[in-house]
């Protein structure tokens, strides 16, 4: 083939153009946002340290402790469920410290999305933002299904029977048969709870926070009552063998303890939602670390105590039920009164989880829209309520739709995948920013950062690895959809693409 002449030159030119285009695309995906590009707060600053800790506890205690503990103990860890809670709490503690450093330094509503934008570039930031939808929006939907289950059973206890056709998911996943129709039409209670909470989030952060604080008080009191009254019923024989011998992949032994840790990780999820309230905190530099770490510490202590008492009160093999704490209390006639209260506490707990998840998701959408990666409507703020109205309505509508149609087992693990990925990126992000911008004012610093951040990243990586393979496949499909949206919309509309902004873009 001749290496000169017009056709060779044209091939060469088109090759050079292609390389230039590839370079431009790579540079655009890697472009970082200045850490000073924090958006001026358009929301009401109404939250002090107490409200922020309550917000964290509101998002954390819910389905995980009231529903998933039983399955994790009965099928995976046995009495060593306590160890699984410590393992998951350790991963979250490391990530929580990293979130605290970022949230005090960059107090914006975008959470892990904004931190990635400042450190790892727009492409990673978009992906993290997209995966956060799995965490917040899907968690709100997942928990609404759990809420519906508890409310239906409570109503039944007082003589009100809701037909399955309007209180169950129309679809479910059956091992070996895939997703099948159940004959139900819609999970109406799940849709209703999301609709009511969305209306509350739409109409003001102060009301939402007050409601959350009241609900959190109820659920914490109920859990403390369980621990206090349950301790006297512990039979230490139930703790033997502490780690039952392995019976196959993920079933008891250390393998099972790890698998249970990946499952109960869901119970911790939500402390990071505090960081999305940074623009509504009265003094974010001081109060963000207090809110994030305070709520995490309170919940870790409660979880470890609950799992020890639970597995001490009954044999772990009996715990494979949907309401393990209420079931355990039912085995002790003298504690029957507490069983009803536990159900009330569980409903209260799940209500506040849905509330904080909807608040958090709408703030992430708001920030992504302010950056140009989502349409402008998402950053519209309601003139009277000072809440991101459109984002809240979209979040609530999609969550209600998903919660009304799909069962928990299709949604739950995806939520953990999205969250763990965000945590992993935040842990790495702290180390990167310490290197690239050591000069930045850090009101809170992760102690022994290289050790803590590396341990945080490794433990989150381990928990991702422990998630089932089909979750990986579904997450890959979700990521692919995200990449497509970014290439068709975000990439072109990014604020960093606008000439006037480009001048101010720097590495910090
Ligand atoms: N941590 C929250 C719960 O357990 C998501 O419901």
């Amino acid at each position: 083939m001749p290496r000169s002449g017009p056709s060779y030159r044209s091939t060469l030119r088109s090759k050079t153009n292609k390389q230039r285009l590839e370079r431009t695309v790579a540079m655009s995906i890697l472009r970082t946002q200045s850490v000073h590009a924090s958006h001026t707060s358009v929301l009401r600053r109404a939250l002090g340290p107490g409200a922020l800790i309550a917000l964290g506890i509101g998002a954390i205690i819910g389905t995980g402790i009231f529903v998933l503990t039983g399955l994790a103990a009965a099928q995976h860890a046995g009495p060593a469920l306590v160890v699984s809670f410590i393992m998951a709490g350790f991963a979250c503690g490391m990530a929580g410290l990293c979130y605290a450093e970022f949230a005090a330094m960059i107090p914006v509503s975008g959470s892990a999305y904004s931190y990635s934008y400042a450190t790892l570039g727009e492409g990673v930031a978009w992906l993290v933002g997209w995966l956060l939808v799995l965490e917040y929006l899907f968690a709100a939907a997942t928990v609404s299904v759990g809420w519906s289950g508890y409310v239906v059973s409570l109503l039944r206890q007082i003589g009100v029977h809701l037909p399955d056709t309007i209180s169950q998911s129309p679809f479910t996943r059956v091992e070996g048969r895939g997703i099948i129709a159940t004959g139900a039409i819609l999970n109406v209670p799940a849709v209703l709870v999301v609709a009511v909470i969305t209306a509350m989030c739409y109409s003001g952060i102060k009301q939402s926070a007050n409601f959350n604080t009241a609900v959190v008080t109820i659920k914490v009191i109920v859990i403390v009552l369980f621990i206090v009254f349950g301790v006297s019923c512990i039979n230490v024989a139930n703790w033997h063998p502490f780690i039952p011998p392995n019976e196959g992949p993920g079933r008891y032994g250390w393998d099972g303890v790890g698998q249970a840790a990946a499952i109960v990780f869901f119970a911790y999820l939500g402390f990071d939602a505090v960081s999305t309230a940074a623009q509504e905190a009265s003094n974010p530099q001081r109060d963000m670390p207090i809110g994030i770490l305070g709520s995490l510490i309170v919940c870790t202590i409660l979880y470890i105590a609950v799992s020890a008492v639970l597995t001490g009160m009954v044999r772990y093999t009996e715990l494979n039920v949907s309401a393990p704490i209420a079931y355990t209390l039912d085995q002790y006639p003298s504690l029957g009164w507490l069983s009803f209260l536990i159900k009330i506490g569980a409903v209260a707990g799940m209500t506040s989880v849905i509330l904080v998840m909807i608040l958090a998701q709408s703030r992430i959408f708001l920030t992504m829209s302010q950056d140009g990666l989502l349409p402008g409507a998402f950053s519209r703020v309601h003139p009277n309520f000072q809440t991101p109205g459109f984002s809240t309505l979209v979040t609530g509508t999609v969550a209600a739709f998903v919660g009304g149609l799909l069962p928990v087992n299709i949604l739950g693990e995806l939520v953990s995948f999205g969250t763990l990925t965000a945590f992993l990126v935040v842990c790495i992000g702290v180390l990167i920013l310490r290197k690239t911008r050591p000069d930045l004012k850090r009101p809170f610093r992760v102690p022994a950062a290289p050790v803590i951040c590396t341990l945080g990243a490794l433990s989150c990586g381990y928990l991702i690895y422990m998630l089932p393979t089909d979750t990986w496949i579904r997450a890959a499909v979700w990521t692919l959809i995200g990449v497509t949206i970014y290439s068709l919309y975000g990439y072109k509309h990014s604020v960093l693409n606008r000439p006037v902004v480009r001048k101010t873009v720097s590495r910090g």
Side-chain angles (χ1 to χ4, degrees), residues 109-472:
S109 311
S111 185
Y113 155 77
S114 297
Y115 314 149
S116 321
Y117 214 157
T119 51
L120 296 166
E122 188 174 283
V124 176
W126 165 266
L127 271 187
V128 169
W130 185 243
L131 288 169
L132 285 180
V133 176
L134 282 188
E135 173 177 2
Y136 296 126
L137 198 154
F138 275 57
T142 312
V143 177
S144 75
V145 181
W147 186 95
S148 166
Y150 258 94
V151 167
V152 169
S153 109
L154 264 177
L155 287 176
R156 202 176 301 134
Q157 225 165 318
I158 55 169
V160 180
H161 292 266
L162 285 186
D164 282 357
T165 42
I166 56 158
S167 60
Q168 297 287 330
S169 305
F171 302 102
T172 191
R173 188 182 64 188
V174 176
E175 216 56 47
R177 289 176 60 197
I179 296 173
I180 57 160
T182 60
I185 301 166
L186 187 70
N187 191 337
V188 176
V191 173
L192 283 183
V193 68
V194 174
V196 171
I197 291 176
T198 303
M200 192 180 296
C201 296
Y202 183 83
S203 59
I205 182 72
K206 193 72 194 160
Q207 296 89 296
S208 310
N210 288 343
F211 174 79
N212 180 61
T213 306
V215 169
V216 163
T217 311
I218 298 174
K219 69 178 168 185
V220 171
I221 289 178
V222 165
I223 289 184
V224 171
L225 284 178
F226 171 73
I227 297 167
V228 170
F229 285 94
V231 164
S232 56
C233 302
I234 290 176
N235 172 4
V236 285
N238 287 328
W239 284 334
H240 298 287
F242 187 64
I243 303 182
N246 182 264
E247 290 178 9
R251 205 167 159 81
Y252 311 130
W254 278 106
D255 194 35
V257 175
Q259 185 101 49
I263 292 172
V264 300
F265 171 78
F266 186 88
Y268 284 100
L269 183 160
F271 67 85
D272 50 311
V274 175
S275 64
T276 64
Q279 289 189 356
E280 286 145 290
S282 324
N283 182 355
Q285 276 83 5
R286 187 199 62 187
D287 295 344
M288 276 294 123
I290 297 179
I292 294 172
L293 298 174
S295 56
L296 198 50
I297 290 169
V298 172
C299 294
T300 306
I301 295 171
L302 289 178
Y303 283 177
I304 291 173
V306 166
S307 48
V309 172
L310 192 71
T311 52
M313 285 175 76
V314 293
R315 212 62 212 140
Y316 64 90
T317 42
E318 287 178 46
L319 285 171
N320 195 12
V321 290
S322 60
I325 301 183
Y327 168 85
T328 302
L329 289 169
D330 287 340
Q331 309 314 304
Y332 292 85
S334 61
L335 295 180
W337 58 276
L338 193 48
S339 165
F340 189 76
L341 279 188
I342 281 287
K343 286 188 184 165
I344 304 271
V347 171
M350 294 184 210
T351 309
S352 65
V353 174
I354 302 171
L355 177 109
V356 183
M357 294 301 171
I358 292 178
L359 283 177
Q361 181 62 71
S362 52
R363 270 78 185 154
I364 303 264
F365 279 156
L366 167 88
T367 313
M368 292 173 87
S369 162
Q370 286 174 330
D371 292 337
L373 301 187
L374 283 177
F378 284 90
S379 42
R380 237 183 262 148
V381 173
H382 193 283
N384 298 335
F385 304 137
Q386 286 175 268
T387 52
F390 182 77
S391 288
T392 307
L393 291 181
V394 170
T395 304
T397 309
V398 179
F401 187 72
V402 175
L405 294 179
L406 296 177
V408 175
N409 57 9
I410 295 181
L411 300 168
E413 289 140 6
L414 276 175
V415 176
S416 294
F417 188 97
T419 314
L420 281 164
T421 314
F423 287 6
L424 185 92
V425 170
V426 169
C427 290
I428 296 171
V430 166
L431 284 182
I432 293 182
L433 212 60
R434 286 275 183 105
K435 272 251 168 312
T436 53
R437 293 300 309 271
D439 55 306
L440 284 176
K441 189 165 170 267
R442 290 170 168 82
F444 175 85
R445 293 176 75 87
V446 178
V451 179
I452 299 277
C453 299
T454 311
L455 282 178
L458 287 177
S459 40
C460 290
Y462 170 74
L463 292 179
I464 295 178
Y465 170 74
M466 290 308 286
L467 286 169
T469 319
D470 55 341
T471 305
W472 279 71

Side-chain angles (χ1 to χ4, degrees), residues 463-500:
L463 292 179
I464 295 178
Y465 170 74
M466 290 308 286
L467 286 169
T469 319
D470 55 341
T471 305
W472 279 71
I473 296 169
R474 277 195 287 273
V477 173
W478 178 258
T479 307
L480 212 65
I481 299 173
V483 170
T484 312
I485 297 178
Y486 175 68
S487 4
L488 295 179
Y489 186 90
Y491 170 70
K492 290 184 206 133
H493 293 84
S494 165
V495 167
L496 297 189
N497 249 348
R498 298 178 196 160
V500 65

Side-chain angles (χ1 to χ4, degrees), residues 89-110:
F90 179 79
C92 292
M94 308 289 112
L97 287 166
C98 297
Y99 264 93
E101 174 161 330
F102 264 129
M105 180 172 53
I106 315 176
V108 292
S109 311

